């Protein structure tokens, strides 16, 4: 994409108020001035890719934000625009890839890596799928979804979340798989079908199993870790192609479950021992129970980023860190697309990301920058 200089001037000119100026001053030179201190470069210096979500709408309507993305991120992932229900809002075959194409085009022109999110997600499946008459029709629809999506972005997508959130131990199956639409339609074999087709269609893309609630120190997260590791081991033994695990890591600054550095390290080492790499795919930090005062709140959010990343980046199998948004201007948490328990009771907007809504760096940016700078160097993957 051209016009970076225009966008940069727009960012610099956009509302550097007293608070933002003070925050920027406390962080040293503004991020815009320190090209070698961007998250993209600091991560790349250690063999890591750093990235963020974007949307076609943001590309069309928010050049200042997109300019920040181009400077700070080496990778883009569509927050919603590649999901099946977002591409297909009508009948079978009624696909509209235009928003996903916009993002793919933007990533290419900006020299950014593209993640694919996602092939199958029970939560975003077109309603017609549920009414297909039989197993064969459902299998054809799943196969077509994977092959047409992966083929369209072949050679462009670095990693695919082929199946998003396949486990749910609470559903009570001995294998811990989520009892939802694809499992009910095709049995556990749907995973093998999807990953094999993805591999055949784009042999160079890394194939990822993306999961949530596997990073903290609670019995529930521990059960989910065990189930996920079992699934990965079964996939490896069965020859189902899988290359990486996506750890979503939607974290909580205050009042959330405990975090154990040791447990996370052990879990990551177990994943690495299976010959898989690790991608942190959806990192952000909710602040619903943090005090209202911005400096205090931002400090607590930054500490959460720091503690998590310091532990995670210790494992050389971790190759990628993606935050679920870059600026508080565009976040599912701020938009209240989380469940209500994550909303602030005082009605103040949440501040979950490294840049504030005016695109100024926050303490979370500094925490991430330092975590990248202090991380051991690894072979890129
Ligand atoms: O686009 C419509 C808009 O036309 C309408 O006016 C508005 C009214 O509610 O809704 C808009 O759609 C929303 C969409 O995000 C785009 O903002 C949906 O309601 C909302 O449910 C949807 O939420 C997304 C959610 O996934 C479900 O797809 C979030 O933005 C997105 O951040 C979230 O991302 C997921 C990952 O894909 C998987 N891991 C968990 C993560 C958080 O739930």
């Amino acid at each position: 994409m051209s016009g970076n200089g225009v966008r940069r001037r727009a960012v610099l000119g956009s509302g550097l108020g007293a608070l933002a100026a003070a925050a920027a001053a406390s962080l040293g030179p503004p991020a815009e001035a320190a090209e070698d201190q961007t998250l993209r470069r600091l991560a790349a210096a250690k063999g890591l890719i750093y990235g963020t979500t974007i949307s076609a709408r943001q590309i069309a309507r928010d050049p200042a934000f997109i300019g920040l993305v181009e400077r700070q991120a080496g990778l883009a992932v569509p927050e919603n625009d590649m999901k099946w229900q977002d591409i297909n809002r009508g009948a079978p075959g009624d696909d509209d890839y235009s928003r996903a194409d916009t993002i793919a085009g933007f990533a290419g022109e900006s020299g950014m890596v593209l993640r694919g999110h996602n092939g199958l997600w029970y939560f975003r499946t077109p309603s017609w799928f549920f009414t297909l008459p039989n197993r064969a029709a459902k299998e054809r629809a799943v196969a077509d979804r994977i092959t047409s999506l992966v083929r369209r972005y072949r050679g462009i997508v670095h990693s695919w979340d082929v199946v998003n959130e396949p486990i749910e131990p609470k559903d009570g199956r001995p294998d811990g798989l989520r009892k939802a639409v694809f499992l009910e339609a095709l049995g556990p074999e749907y995973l093998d079908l999807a990953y094999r087709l993805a591999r055949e269609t784009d042999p160079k893309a890394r194939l990822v199993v993306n999961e949530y609630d596997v990073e903290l120190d609670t019995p529930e997260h521990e059960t989910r870790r065990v189930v996920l590791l079992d699934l990965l081991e079964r996939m490896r033994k069965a020859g189902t192609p899988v290359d990486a695990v996506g750890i979503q890591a939607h974290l909580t600054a205050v009042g959330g479950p405990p975090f154990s550095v040791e447990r996370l390290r052990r879990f990551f080492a177990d994943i690495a021992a299976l010959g898989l790499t690790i991608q942190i795919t959806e990192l952000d930090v909710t602040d619903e129970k943090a005090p209202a005062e911005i400096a205090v709140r931002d400090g607590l959010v930054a500490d959460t980023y720091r503690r998590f990343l310091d532990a995670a980046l210790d494992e050389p199998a971790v190759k990628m860190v993606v935050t679920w948004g870059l600026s508080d201007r565009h976040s599912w948490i701020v938009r209240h697309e989380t469940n209500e328990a994550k909303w602030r009771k005082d009605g103040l907007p949440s501040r979950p990301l490294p840049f504030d809504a005016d695109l100024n760096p926050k303490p979370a940016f500094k925490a991430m920058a330092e975590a990248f700078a202090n991380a051991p160097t690894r072979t890129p993957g």
Side-chain angles (χ1 to χ4, degrees):
M1 180 173 272
S2 59
N4 199 10
V6 174
R7 275 200 298 273
R8 178 160 313 160
R9 281 191 295 280
V11 174
L12 287 170
S14 72
L16 266 186
L19 185 65
S26 74
L27 295 172
E32 292 86 329
E35 287 294 342
D36 58 336
Q37 296 298 303
T38 61
L39 295 178
R40 173 183 189 148
R41 291 203 184 192
L42 290 164
K46 298 304 172 74
L48 284 159
I49 301 176
Y50 166 69
T52 177
T53 52
I54 54 167
S55 71
R57 192 183 166 92
Q58 289 156 12
I59 292 171
R61 298 197 185 178
D62 194 348
F65 170 72
I66 289 297
L68 182 71
V69 168
E70 284 181 306
R71 285 191 299 286
Q72 292 292 335
L75 172 149
V77 55
E79 182 171 3
N80 289 303
D81 291 331
M82 275 185 185
K83 290 171 185 171
W84 198 356
Q85 206 178 48
D86 293 73
I87 282 183
N88 184 298
R89 296 181 179 180
D94 218 0
D95 296 336
D96 176 5
Y97 288 96
S98 58
R99 289 179 301 277
D101 287 354
T102 297
I103 292 176
F106 162 78
E109 287 166 24
S110 306
M112 295 168 82
V113 168
L114 181 66
R115 276 197 103 245
H117 178 79
N118 48 53
L120 300 177
W121 187 20
Y122 71 96
F123 189 56
R124 277 292 177 260
T125 306
S127 48
W128 54 258
F129 182 87
F130 296 82
T131 65
L132 291 172
N134 52 40
R135 183 190 163 104
K138 288 179 177 168
E139 191 170 321
R140 266 198 309 278
V142 162
D144 185 53
R145 158 69 180 165
I146 296 294
T147 46
S148 43
L149 180 70
V150 175
R151 190 186 307 118
R152 191 169 187 96
Y153 304 109
R154 177 168 44 206
I156 300 176
V157 163
H158 173 281
S159 325
W160 272 112
D161 293 334
V162 180
V163 177
N164 196 42
E165 304 173 3
I167 64 161
E168 183 45 278
K170 283 186 194 149
D171 284 351
R173 287 175 56 92
D175 60 9
L177 291 180
R178 182 182 289 279
K179 268 195 210 167
V181 52
F182 305 113
L183 186 118
E184 276 159 3
L186 307 177
E189 305 84 65
Y190 86 91
L191 286 157
D192 188 64
L193 175 73
Y195 282 85
R196 276 186 201 276
L197 285 173
R199 177 69 95 227
E200 276 167 29
T201 311
D202 187 353
K204 289 206 176 129
R206 285 112 175 129
L207 306 184
V208 185
V209 175
N210 195 38
E211 259 307 342
Y212 68 93
D213 281 1
V214 287
E215 61 279 340
L216 300 178
D217 187 14
T218 67
E220 190 188 333
H221 282 231
E222 181 61 19
T223 304
R224 294 175 60 83
R225 282 191 282 273
V226 169
V227 161
L228 181 57
L229 286 167
D230 283 353
L231 168 64
L232 296 165
E233 209 171 335
R234 283 200 306 280
M235 289 172 80
R236 295 298 257 174
K237 281 197 183 131
T240 303
V242 55
D243 305 303
V245 180
I247 308 289
Q248 293 190 7
H250 293 290
L251 306 177
T252 306
V254 178
F259 173 64
S260 156
V261 172
E262 279 318 306
R263 272 185 200 264
L264 189 80
R265 283 186 179 151
R266 214 179 314 141
F267 177 47
F268 281 11
D270 287 344
I271 296 172
L274 289 171
L276 301 168
T277 61
I278 299 165
Q279 303 181 350
I280 310 300
T281 49
E282 303 187 12
L283 180 60
D284 57 15
V285 181
T286 58
D287 61 1
E288 68 274 15
K289 295 209 175 105
E293 195 189 330
I294 284 179
V296 177
R297 204 162 15 132
D298 283 358
L300 291 163
V301 168
D303 284 349
T304 310
Y305 275 99
R306 190 188 316 274
R307 270 184 299 131
F308 178 77
L309 284 176
D310 283 350
L313 297 180
D314 206 41
E315 168 56 61
V318 175
K319 307 293 187 188
M320 180 188 287
V321 175
V322 178
T323 46
W324 208 237
L326 181 62
S327 142
D328 298 336
R329 183 183 290 190
H330 299 296
S331 160
W332 71 303
I333 295 166
V334 180
R335 293 194 301 266
H336 282 180
E337 289 164 356
T338 45
N339 65 47
E340 208 169 331
K342 299 281 185 188
W343 302 359
R344 287 189 65 84
K345 302 285 173 285
D346 57 15
L348 290 173
S350 283
R351 300 175 59 85
L353 291 167
F355 287 78
D356 71 14
D358 290 327
L359 311 181
N360 296 304
K362 292 160 51 188
F365 166 83
K366 188 169 182 240
M368 292 192 69
E370 286 172 0
F372 290 159
N374 295 335
T377 304
R378 67 216 61 219
T379 21

